[in-house]
Each structure stands twice: as C-alpha cells, then as structure tokens.
Amino acid sequence: MAQGVSHVLDEMCPSSHTYDDNSTNANDIYSWKQDDTKALGYLILRVQESICVKHDALISAKAFWNALSTEYGTQGISATYGKFKVMLDTPIPSKQHPTSAFNKINAHFTCLKKADFEIPIKVQAMILLSKLPSSMNSIAQIVAMDKELMTPTRIEKAAVGNQSSLCVQHRAVGNSHPLRPQASFTRRSDVLTTTLKATTSPLSFPAATLTVQPIQRNPSVHTPPLPYDHPDPSLSIPIRW
C-alpha cells in the first residue's frame, strides 16, 4: 500500500464534529476521503479488470480490501495440492548433505498446516523415512524399533549425522590411497639410504688368472707367420681364465 494512506483500511471515516470554539473537523474528513480515494485507486490498478467489475459497487478502499481478503485470502485447494505434490516429489540425496532437502520438506509441511491441511507428526515421519536413500536404510531400521524416534526432528538429526560420518570415512579412504604420500610412511630418502647401506658391500668377482705357457713347436704343424713379424713365436702368451 502507498505510504501514508494505508490507515484507511483500518479506520472509518471520521464523523462530523463541532468543537467548543465552533470549529469543525471538516479538514480531517476531507483528508481521510482523499487518502481513501488514493488507496482505492492503488488497489484497482493491481487487480484484474474482471475483479474490478465484479466489485464495482464498493466505493471505499476498506470495503474493497475486505472483499478481496474474503474471496482470495484463503489458499485454494489446487494450490494446496500443488504444495503437497512438490513435497512428495522432493528427494533426499544420498551423495549430498540432506539439510537443504529436509528444510524444503518441512517448509511444505508448514504451508499445508497454514492451509488447514496439517499432516500428523507420525505421518510426516513416515514420509521422511520413505524418502531416505538406500545408504540410510539403517536409520529406518532403528526408528522402526523405537516409536519415540518416530519424529521428523530425530529422523533429520540421524540422517545428517549419518551423512557426516560417511563424509569422514570417504576422506579417510581417500587419504590412504597407495599413490598418495602419507606422514606415517617412511620417506623415500630414508628407504633409499637404507637400501644403499645394505647393498654397498665390496663386490666379489672371480679373479682372473694369467698363465704364461710356452708354445712347443711341432715340425709337422705349419705355424703361420705372425702379423707383426715377432722374432720368436715361442714367446706368444695365450691367456686362460
């Protein structure tokens, strides 16, 4: 409502009055009627033309406002069913934090209550249990064994705690990946140093034995000349390992 004219929706037009000094409240009456005209025009500009024609007989902003409140102030059945359908279609995710989903569902429960379609607490709890993902089946089994846990608040608390524990487990498993360095593991430099100390002992290979054996000349065997024209072929030194 426009500033300064909303008072006409709660107040009636002041009646004519004459004071002791023979003055009247004509100015107050004129000011109220001016504000009432402005408020009525403000309302007419913001509703459909068919509604204006339907309530054409109403000449004050207060009367027009009361008629609108009576006819359209209460939420219709179709709108209420729409909120109920959205509530049923809202899932609880298994890989995300469920708080936002629970907040949306609880908001729909509140809207249904304001529309005189309040859902009992136990029925709300059953609806929430039916929405829990398969990773939270343990919560449904625990709640089924204890009626005191059959409330939306306790189911939400259990689901949030379960999701938080799963996140902690996933982080722990991710940190224990064999390819990721760990503080509890031995550093690569330590392992390498230890390995070198264990394997840097003196190497032992079979020693080569050098034997000098003179060649016996056999007259029946022709010995080819050496390529470097050694003066005495008997000094050739074969090497045997």
Side-chain angles (χ1 to χ4, degrees), residues 20-129:
D20 296 338
D21 57 355
N22 294 327
S23 62
T24 62
N25 60 344
N27 292 333
D28 295 338
I29 296 174
Y30 178 80
S31 178
W32 188 93
K33 288 183 178 180
Q34 290 292 325
D35 292 344
D36 181 71
T37 302
K38 293 178 182 179
L40 181 60
Y42 182 89
L43 293 174
I44 290 175
L45 290 175
R46 282 160 177 77
V47 297
Q48 296 181 359
E49 183 179 1
S50 58
I51 298 177
C52 295
V53 174
K54 181 179 180 179
H55 301 285
D56 187 40
L58 303 176
I59 58 175
S60 68
K62 180 177 177 58
F64 190 68
W65 178 258
N66 290 339
L68 294 178
S69 299
T70 301
E71 187 172 355
Y72 305 103
T74 304
Q75 189 174 11
I77 299 298
S78 59
T80 303
Y81 174 74
K83 293 184 179 298
F84 178 75
K85 187 69 168 56
V86 172
M87 181 270 299
L88 292 179
D89 294 339
T90 301
I92 297 179
S94 59
K95 296 183 180 180
Q96 299 177 1
H97 205 278
T99 300
S100 59
F102 277 101
N103 291 338
K104 292 180 181 179
I105 296 173
N106 291 331
H108 291 307
F109 287 153
T110 303
C111 292
L112 292 173
K113 181 179 180 180
K114 292 181 179 180
D116 295 332
F117 285 90
E118 182 178 2
I119 301 177
I121 296 298
K122 292 185 178 181
V123 178
Q124 294 181 17
M126 295 293 288
I127 293 175
L128 293 177
L129 285 179

Side-chain angles (χ1 to χ4, degrees), residues 116-158:
D116 295 332
F117 285 90
E118 182 178 2
I119 301 177
I121 296 298
K122 292 185 178 181
V123 178
Q124 294 181 17
M126 295 293 288
I127 293 175
L128 293 177
L129 285 179
S130 65
K131 292 178 175 292
L132 293 178
S134 58
S135 59
M136 300 183 185
N137 287 337
S138 59
I139 297 177
Q141 297 175 1
I142 294 174
V143 172
M145 294 185 296
D146 191 352
K147 293 183 179 181
E148 294 182 359
L149 299 177
M150 188 65 71
T151 60
T153 302
R154 294 191 175 185
I155 294 175
E156 179 180 357
K157 184 178 180 180

Side-chain angles (χ1 to χ4, degrees), residues 175-227:
N175 291 335
S176 61
H177 195 279
L179 298 181
R180 297 181 181 177
Q182 297 298 314
S184 60
F185 290 170
T186 306
R187 292 177 299 177
R188 296 287 297 179
S189 58
D190 297 341
V191 175
L192 184 58
T193 303
T194 303
T195 304
L196 289 177
K197 291 179 180 179
T199 60
T200 52
S201 59
L203 300 178
S204 58
F205 295 98
T209 303
L210 182 61
T211 304
V212 179
Q213 182 179 3
I215 300 176
Q216 302 294 331
R217 295 180 60 86
N218 190 350
S220 61
V221 178
H222 175 72
T223 301
L226 297 176

